[in-house]
């Protein structure tokens, strides 16, 4: 780049006068130094100060000074630099595919493109393979999630059924206890009292029969066998009465207490069992709930990964975000022409994530 530069003077006479004035000022300064030295010498040797004004005159010194005239002239300033022109505004086309991939197709450099035109196609075979694997995982995750949700619903129904059964057992045990306290126990007690009364009546009859047999035997109106039979019947009536009274005593002291405690224990166990069923139901439902939530999260992760892979596949096709001319990017400020063949932007070259592939300069 060569640039001619010139200096022009509008009023040469004015400059000449200024130059003369400058020369006069310089002469006056020199004269003052000389006068000063002379005065100092005169003082030192006793000579009066009248010598300086007499010997030296500023007008004479200025008249003897040299004068110069400034002439306007042109001169050239030449700057030589090597480089390439670069637009002040440009759009970078960046590889957004994770890891490393290869360029399959590439638009020629210098091509004028408009928004939406295909610029670069990157290899997507690995991404497609991972996508198929994730789609299979998604299918399995959906099955596992639906199965977990179904198991959770089944568990909730089972819990409701078990809780109803447990509550029913509590109600049944309460009814059994009330029936025993207000029905069975009174009935058994009454039956034993009746048995005792019947035994007493039978004993009284057998005693009368025995007394009559005893009198008849004394008069030989009955045989010895008949007498002994009446005696045995009397004794058996006594035994039956003792047996009935003993049964009542056993009923009141043992059977009633045992049956009552058993009924009360059954009710307590039913209540405890209902509590165990409730806690077990809560634990099982929570377990199934966590399982369903886990499969749901796993499904969400698989779908997120699948969406990411699909997005990566879409990013294998780089289109122009705006219009411009295609310029391959090779790094550095000089356009990257110094790069090796393996690093240059070309079909088959390996590129990595966040690498700038090309630029679209704004030609405006």
């Amino acid at each position: 780049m060569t640039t001619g530069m010139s200096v022009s003077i509008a009023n040469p006479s004015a400059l000449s006068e200024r130059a003369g004035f400058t020369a006069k000022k310089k002469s006056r300064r020199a004269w003052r130094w000389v006068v000063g030295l002379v005065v100092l010498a005169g003082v030192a040797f006793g000579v009066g100060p009248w010598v300086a004004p007499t010997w030296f005159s500023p007008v004479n010194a200025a008249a003897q000074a040299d004068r110069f005239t400034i002439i306007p002239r042109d001169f050239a300033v030449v700057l030589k630099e090597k480089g390439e022109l670069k637009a002040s505004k440009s759009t970078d086309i960046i590889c957004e595919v994770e890891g490393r991939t290869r360029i399959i197709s590439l638009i020629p450099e210098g091509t004028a493109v408009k928004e939406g035109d295909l610029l670069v196609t990157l290899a997507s075979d690995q991404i497609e393979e991972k996508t198929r694997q994730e789609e299979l995982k998604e299918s399995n995750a959906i099955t596992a999630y639906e199965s977990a949700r179904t198991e959770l619903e089944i568990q909730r129904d089972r819990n409701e059924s078990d809780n109803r059964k447990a509550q029913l057992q509590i109600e049944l045990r309460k009814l059994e206890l009330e029936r025993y306290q207000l029905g069975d126990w009174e009935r058994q007690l009454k039956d034993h009292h009746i048995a005792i009364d019947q035994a007493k009546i039978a004993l009284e009859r057998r005693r009368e029969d025995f007394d009559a047999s005893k009198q008849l035997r004394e008069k030989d109106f009955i045989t010895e066998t008949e007498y002994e039979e009446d005696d045995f019947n009397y004794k058996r009536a006594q035994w039956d009465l003792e047996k009935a009274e003993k049964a009542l005593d056993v009923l009141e002291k043992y059977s009633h207490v045992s049956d009552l405690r058993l009924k009360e224990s059954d009710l307590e166990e039913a209540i405890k069992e209902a509590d165990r069923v409730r806690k077990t139901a809560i634990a099982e439902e929570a377990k199934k709930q966590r399982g369903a939530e886990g499969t749901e999260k796993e499904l969400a992760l698989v779908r997120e990964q699948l969406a990411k892979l699909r997005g990566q596949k879409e990013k294998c096709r780089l289109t122009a975000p705006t219009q411009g001319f295609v310029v391959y990017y090779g790094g550095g400020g000089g356009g990257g022409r110094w790069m090796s063949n393996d690093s240059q932007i070309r079909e088959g070259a390996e590129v990595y994530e966040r690498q700038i592939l090309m630029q679209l300069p704004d030609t405006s």
Side-chain angles (χ1 to χ4, degrees), residues 219-235:
K219 296 179 180 181
D220 291 330
F221 290 155
I222 58 174
T223 61
E224 185 67 22
T225 301
E226 291 174 342
Y227 171 75
E228 292 178 355
E229 182 177 358
D230 290 335
D231 182 32
F232 176 78
N233 291 332
Y234 174 62
K235 291 179 179 179

Side-chain angles (χ1 to χ4, degrees), residues 53-69:
T54 304
W55 290 0
F56 298 93
S57 175
V59 176
N60 294 332
Q64 295 176 359
D66 295 334
R67 296 185 178 182
F68 302 92
T69 302

Side-chain angles (χ1 to χ4, degrees), residues 21-63:
F21 177 73
T22 302
K24 290 179 180 180
K25 290 179 67 177
K26 291 181 179 179
S27 299
R28 289 175 182 174
R29 291 193 190 100
W31 176 77
R32 287 174 182 174
W33 279 101
V34 173
V35 171
L37 292 175
V38 172
V39 171
L40 290 175
V43 172
F45 294 99
V47 182
W50 55 267
V51 178
T54 304
W55 290 0
F56 298 93
S57 175
V59 176
N60 294 332

Side-chain angles (χ1 to χ4, degrees), residues 265-279:
S265 176
D266 290 342
L267 177 58
E268 292 177 359
E269 287 299 324
I271 295 174
K272 292 180 179 180
E273 180 63 21
D275 186 61
R276 285 193 294 268
V277 169
R278 182 182 60 82
K279 292 180 179 179

